[in-house]
Amino acid sequence: MTVSLDQLRRCHVAVDLGAARTRVYVKGAGLVVDEPSVAAVNTHTGALIAVGALAEKMTGRTPDYIRVVRPVSGGTVVDIEMAQRMLRHLLGEKLRRQLRRKPRLRAAACTPHDSDPLAQRAAVETLVGLGARRVELVDTLIAAAVGSGLPVEQPTATMIMVCGAATTQVAVLSLGAIVTAERIPVGGDAIDHAIIQHLRHHHELMLPSQSVRPLQLALSGNGLTPHGPASTEIHGRDVATGLARSVTVDTAAVREAIHTPLTAVLDGLGKVLRDCPPDLVADLADRGIMMVGGSALLPGLDQMLRDATGMPVHIAERPDVCAVLGLGAMLEGKVQPMVLDPLGDHRGLADDDAHDRGRDRDRAYADDLAD
């Protein structure tokens, strides 16, 4: 793992700053914050008007002097000051007072795989601004694997796919570390955008930005599978007239529209499998792929992966919060490292024998000097 489990056990709070939602786990209290990573700001005074779900509802509905911002993009903090203000309001005064009582507050945070040093520094500075004296960074892939219940510490291959809003991360894990991984810049937002563009170009319909997920509307039932509903009705605004209008959309055409972003995900999955050692690929044929993340609940995505890879595909019990729950399990000490030296006693006997031989050699050398 990127940090030792002993260091993580000393942490008091774990934070998962995602592009879509921010989640906070407090040691001993569990998951205390699960809100959208959105803040609404008064541009005249700079005051924070709302955060979380309330700020998300304001998207596209605000007057000119209110600006809705997302301080986190693709799992990376792009506005440190706004991220700190958002976290303070999400935690609340009572919880912040409890954390301030810790003499040396330690925090853990998830970072995307292969994140650059600037992104890691931004995550550290965000939590340091909240009072953390030390910040431990954990790869999102490892945290999500632990949170989904995979045997990460065992010498067997486990494959994890983190389907986020901005990116999709795929990795093969063994012995508590990443063997091979790939980060694909395609997530739930790209799939939603493909749906919106399809409706705009082929039906001259604009969807409201703050409606229910467009993809969930267009792909009800079995979704991406050919056995799903043949058509579905969508409500939106006419591009030409600006009036409200409803159209009946062919779901087969919708499946074709999102084929391009999903093809990129399948290509990244294939690259991970090609770079993986053959022995681990044999393990994956039995264990399959574990899907986590909010976009893992996309209807029919698991079946598409089964058809493309021929491997079993599973969705975690709580896919959207697996990463922060994995961090919480490390904080609570529920993850035990594998003992990599089962022959420790025999090694001790061998060391004793070597010590005895060295002592006899020293005595013989002393006797030669005496002679």
Side-chain angles (χ1 to χ4, degrees):
M1 294 187 180
T2 51
V3 296
S4 70
L5 291 174
D6 290 336
Q7 291 174 334
L8 286 173
R9 289 192 191 102
R10 298 192 188 104
C11 294
H12 307 96
V13 61
V15 179
D16 179 15
L17 281 169
R21 300 183 74 87
T22 294
R23 300 176 177 94
V24 180
Y25 185 103
V26 176
K27 192 174 185 178
L31 187 63
V32 295
V33 174
D34 185 2
E35 294 281 342
S37 304
V38 189
V41 186
N42 188 324
T43 56
H44 293 167
T45 63
L48 201 61
I49 298 174
V51 295
L54 180 58
E56 190 176 43
K57 290 180 181 178
M58 295 182 180
T59 305
R61 296 188 173 97
T62 59
D64 292 339
Y65 69 92
I66 296 179
R67 183 166 57 100
V68 178
V69 297
R70 291 183 177 270
V72 184
S73 176
T76 301
V77 179
V78 294
D79 189 340
I80 296 176
E81 181 184 358
M82 187 56 64
Q84 290 175 350
R85 296 174 66 185
M86 181 185 71
L87 272 174
R88 287 193 193 100
H89 282 76
L90 289 176
L91 288 172
E93 181 62 31
K94 181 179 178 181
L95 188 55
R96 281 188 288 131
R97 195 182 303 117
Q98 292 177 0
L99 293 178
R100 280 198 297 265
R101 293 184 188 139
K102 307 290 184 184
R104 288 187 58 83
L105 180 64
R106 290 174 176 242
C110 289
T111 55
H113 178 67
D114 280 347
S115 57
D116 57 85
L118 287 177
Q120 296 179 6
R121 182 177 177 181
V124 171
E125 289 187 4
T126 299
L127 297 181
V128 167
L130 293 176
R133 298 291 184 268
R134 183 183 177 94
V135 180
E136 307 290 352
L137 299 180
V138 180
D139 198 303
T140 302
L141 291 165
I142 294 180
V146 172
S148 61
L150 293 177
V152 180
E153 297 295 331
Q154 300 301 317
T156 56
T158 55
M159 193 168 196
I160 186 82
M161 174 182 280
V162 180
C163 307
T167 60
T168 300
Q169 303 174 68
V170 187
V172 175
L173 309 176
S174 180
L175 289 173
I178 297 174
V179 178
T180 178
E182 187 73 16
R183 187 179 175 191
I184 308 145
V186 174
D189 291 344
I191 297 174
D192 287 351
H193 182 70
I195 297 287
I196 293 173
Q197 292 301 312
H198 170 78
L199 295 175
R200 184 184 180 94
H201 293 155
H202 293 83
H203 299 277
E204 296 184 351
L205 191 74
M206 291 182 63
L207 287 179
S209 61
Q210 210 36 57
S211 63
V212 183
R213 278 180 60 108
L215 191 58
Q216 302 298 332
L217 287 173
L219 297 176
S220 56
N222 293 325
L224 298 177
T225 60
H227 306 293
S231 62
T232 185
E233 190 176 16
I234 300 293
H235 306 282
R237 191 184 74 179
D238 190 275
V239 174
T241 65
L243 300 176
R245 185 163 64 90
S246 300
V247 297
T248 301
V249 179
D250 182 13
T251 52
V254 173
R255 286 197 298 270
E256 187 65 27
I258 65 176
H259 186 266
T260 301
L262 289 181
T263 300
V265 174
L266 294 177
D267 291 343
L269 183 62
K271 184 178 185 302
V272 170
L273 291 174
R274 288 193 299 271
D275 295 341
C276 188
D279 291 340
L280 296 181
V281 175
D283 292 342
L284 295 176
D286 298 329
R287 292 183 175 273
I289 306 170
M290 178 65 76
M291 294 176 60
V292 302
S295 300
L297 299 173
L298 184 65
L301 179 58
D302 53 343
Q303 186 60 45
M304 177 176 284
L305 293 177
R306 289 189 193 98
D307 297 338
T309 62
M311 296 192 302
V313 178
H314 314 283
I315 300 178
E317 185 177 352
R318 299 179 64 187
D320 51 340
V321 294
C322 278
V324 71
L325 291 182
L327 275 181
M330 297 178 194
L331 264 61
E332 303 283 0
K334 297 178 181 178
V335 180
Q336 298 297 328
M338 179 181 175
V339 179
L340 296 180
D341 186 21
L343 302 179
D345 295 338
H346 298 282
R347 186 186 64 180
L349 293 176
D351 291 344
D352 291 341
D353 293 342
H355 178 71
D356 292 340
R357 288 195 298 270
R359 185 182 57 192
D360 294 340
R361 198 165 45 245
D362 292 340
R363 285 178 178 174
Y365 180 68
D367 292 343
D368 293 339
L369 291 178
D371 293 340

